[in-house]
Amino acid sequence: MTQEQGVKPIDSLQLAEPLASQLRFLLEADSLKSVIRGSRIADGSRRENTAEHSWHIALFALVLAPHAAERVDVLRVVSMLLIHDLVEIDCGDTPLFDAAGTATQAAREVIAARRLFGMLPAKQATEILALWHEFEAAATADARFAKAIDRLQPILLNHAVGGGTWTDYDVDEARERALTCRIADGSPGLWGVAEAVINDAVCRGWLKPAPGT
Amino acid sequence: MTQEQGVKPIDSLQLAEPLASQLRFLLEADSLKSVIRGSRIADGSRRENTAEHSWHIALFALVLAPHAAERVDVLRVVSMLLIHDLVEIDCGDTPLFDAAGTATQAAREVIAARRLFGMLPAKQATEILALWHEFEAAATADARFAKAIDRLQPILLNHAVGGGTWTDYDVDEARERALTCRIADGSPGLWGVAEAVINDAVCRGWLKPAPGT
């Protein structure tokens, strides 16, 4: 049986609401598995996709929650981390070191968030869109800790593979610190880890020293 | 600088406990991105890996929690789904339709769970191992709902790609129903979805009819 253009098999099932909308959203979300990031997986064999990155940082949050700067609601933190990158289905990944991309990133991602979360039933769409905005604004303890986790994981992967996106984007230690130092807002303990990793990467020649040092 | 055999860059940092153990565990977990499942991603372009599968089902749980048969603790459900397949780092994926593999699966996976979760600080290792056993036993409402989600997602992916593992393993409708009907224990509503999908797949020729029908 052929499919009409753009009509997916799930659309033909005539499921009742709210399940029909929820399942269409969850199948649309599958596309995040095809969004490729700059970071490599830890064995260096290939680049990471955003779906597996999202799993990894959710696991980070579960394990590292005791290191949050303030008391956090772990379910809210994990939920933010599971949903925050879904906008990349429409916008692609914007590497931290891509200045041109990051300049327009927020505006592009707001449009994507409205489209994607808008596929859900209205109440759930509103709740998840609010959670996405909360993460982006980093104005709560939960969001600051979630952001810290999201910034720490790529540092560990670059260290595991001996350079990674630091090499790709010719990043030096000062720029790396400037782009990641807000990890300390979510967790001073995890910022301590990031500093140890950055220092070690400079010593090993995987990250350029700051200019003039 | 060369690395000693088996010594990873993270090991050289001499981080304090419990962070050192937690980060070694989280980098070991990265290997789940290289475990390949039978299911294809929804566009049919490649097989799914277990890390991105784990992300997908955690997102399913967040969105579909209102359909659980009994009141569930969403954080516990999501946590189970994020950690339950980590044993595949040592054991590989065992497809539902692989009778020989499933016969030895439980024994193999218990050993893997002890090794992997045993990398964590003792209290956290005990808690996460208990959560893993709870999922496996499916003896609580949280675990039954988590299991239902884990069974539903591959059905939707097989339907999205027009056969998938149903074709690979020459599965018929009766076998598929027998292997997935416990979805109803976690969520009668989601079992209704599974039945609609299975019926449609038989109609379209993507899943063989039950013998004698």
Side-chain angles (χ1 to χ4, degrees):
Chain A
M1 186 180 286
T2 59
Q3 297 295 319
E4 285 177 55
Q5 192 69 28
V7 176
K8 294 180 177 175
I10 189 83
D11 297 327
S12 68
L13 293 181
Q14 302 189 302
L15 299 169
E17 290 297 339
L19 270 169
S21 297
Q22 290 166 328
L23 293 169
R24 277 197 300 271
F25 168 80
L26 290 167
L27 281 168
E28 177 81 5
D30 194 89
S31 303
L32 200 62
K33 299 170 188 172
S34 301
V35 175
I36 306 301
R37 291 168 52 80
S39 297
R40 280 77 168 169
I41 64 174
D43 69 5
S45 60
R46 63 171 174 82
R47 290 182 194 264
E48 189 185 36
N49 72 58
T50 305
E52 62 197 0
H53 164 73
S54 297
W55 164 75
H56 205 189
I57 57 178
L59 186 67
F60 268 62
L62 285 187
V63 169
L64 299 176
H67 303 284
E70 300 164 74
R71 192 176 196 80
V72 292
D73 179 328
V74 181
L75 176 59
R76 297 187 80 252
V77 172
V78 168
S79 300
M80 283 180 200
L81 292 171
L82 291 173
I83 62 109
H84 85 287
D85 270 337
L86 278 165
V87 292
E88 294 184 5
I89 290 172
D90 289 358
C91 302
D93 176 55
T94 307
L96 194 60
F97 310 119
D98 171 3
T102 52
T104 63
Q105 184 178 8
R108 291 182 289 120
E109 290 189 350
V110 165
I111 295 167
R114 287 189 193 134
R115 182 189 80 77
L116 283 157
F117 302 132
M119 295 178 70
L120 287 165
K123 182 166 176 289
Q124 204 162 38
T126 303
E127 288 167 0
I128 295 191
L129 187 59
L131 202 64
W132 182 83
H133 279 294
E134 180 178 333
F135 176 85
E136 291 300 311
T140 63
D142 292 344
R144 283 188 292 270
F145 183 61
K147 285 254 179 195
I149 294 286
D150 191 39
R151 286 275 181 278
L152 176 66
Q153 186 253 14
I155 296 174
L156 293 172
L157 290 183
N158 278 350
H159 187 254
V161 302
T165 59
W166 291 328
T167 308
D168 297 339
Y169 288 91
D170 196 30
V171 178
D172 69 47
E173 177 188 11
R175 187 154 173 235
E176 173 65 12
R177 282 179 200 274
L179 288 169
T180 60
C181 63
R182 292 183 64 191
I183 291 174
D185 297 344
S187 171
L190 295 183
W191 176 240
V193 169
E195 288 211 292
V197 173
I198 289 168
N199 289 339
D200 188 61
V202 174
C203 285
R204 291 174 186 260
W206 296 339
L207 175 62
K208 291 200 309 190
T213 57
Chain B
M1 186 180 291
T2 59
Q3 297 296 318
E4 285 177 55
Q5 192 70 27
V7 176
K8 295 179 176 175
I10 189 82
D11 297 326
S12 69
L13 293 181
Q14 302 189 300
L15 299 168
E17 291 296 340
L19 271 169
S21 297
Q22 289 167 328
L23 292 169
R24 277 197 299 270
F25 167 81
L26 290 167
L27 281 169
E28 176 81 6
D30 194 89
S31 303
L32 199 63
K33 299 169 188 171
S34 301
V35 175
I36 306 301
R37 292 169 50 82
S39 298
R40 279 78 169 168
I41 64 173
D43 69 5
S45 60
R46 63 170 173 83
R47 291 182 194 265
E48 191 186 36
N49 73 57
T50 305
E52 62 197 1
H53 164 74
S54 297
W55 164 76
H56 205 190
I57 57 177
L59 186 67
F60 268 62
L62 285 187
V63 169
L64 300 176
H67 303 285
E70 301 164 75
R71 192 175 198 80
V72 291
D73 179 328
V74 181
L75 177 58
R76 298 187 81 251
V77 172
V78 169
S79 300
M80 282 180 201
L81 292 170
L82 291 172
I83 62 108
H84 84 287
D85 270 339
L86 279 165
V87 292
E88 295 184 5
I89 290 172
D90 289 358
C91 302
D93 176 56
T94 306
L96 195 60
F97 309 120
D98 171 3
T102 53
T104 62
Q105 184 178 7
R108 290 182 290 120
E109 291 189 348
V110 164
I111 294 167
R114 286 190 194 133
R115 181 188 80 78
L116 283 157
F117 302 132
M119 294 178 71
L120 288 165
K123 182 165 176 287
Q124 204 162 37
T126 303
E127 287 167 2
I128 295 192
L129 188 60
L131 202 64
W132 183 84
H133 279 294
E134 180 178 333
F135 176 85
E136 291 300 311
T140 63
D142 292 344
R144 283 190 292 271
F145 183 61
K147 284 256 179 196
I149 295 286
D150 191 38
R151 287 274 182 276
L152 177 65
Q153 186 252 15
I155 296 174
L156 293 172
L157 289 183
N158 278 349
H159 187 254
V161 302
T165 59
W166 293 328
T167 308
D168 298 337
Y169 287 92
D170 196 31
V171 178
D172 68 48
E173 176 188 12
R175 186 152 175 239
E176 174 64 12
R177 282 180 201 276
L179 288 169
T180 60
C181 63
R182 292 183 64 192
I183 291 173
D185 296 344
S187 171
L190 295 184
W191 176 239
V193 170
E195 289 211 292
V197 173
I198 289 169
N199 290 338
D200 188 60
V202 174
C203 285
R204 291 173 185 260
W206 296 340
L207 176 61
K208 290 199 311 189
T213 58

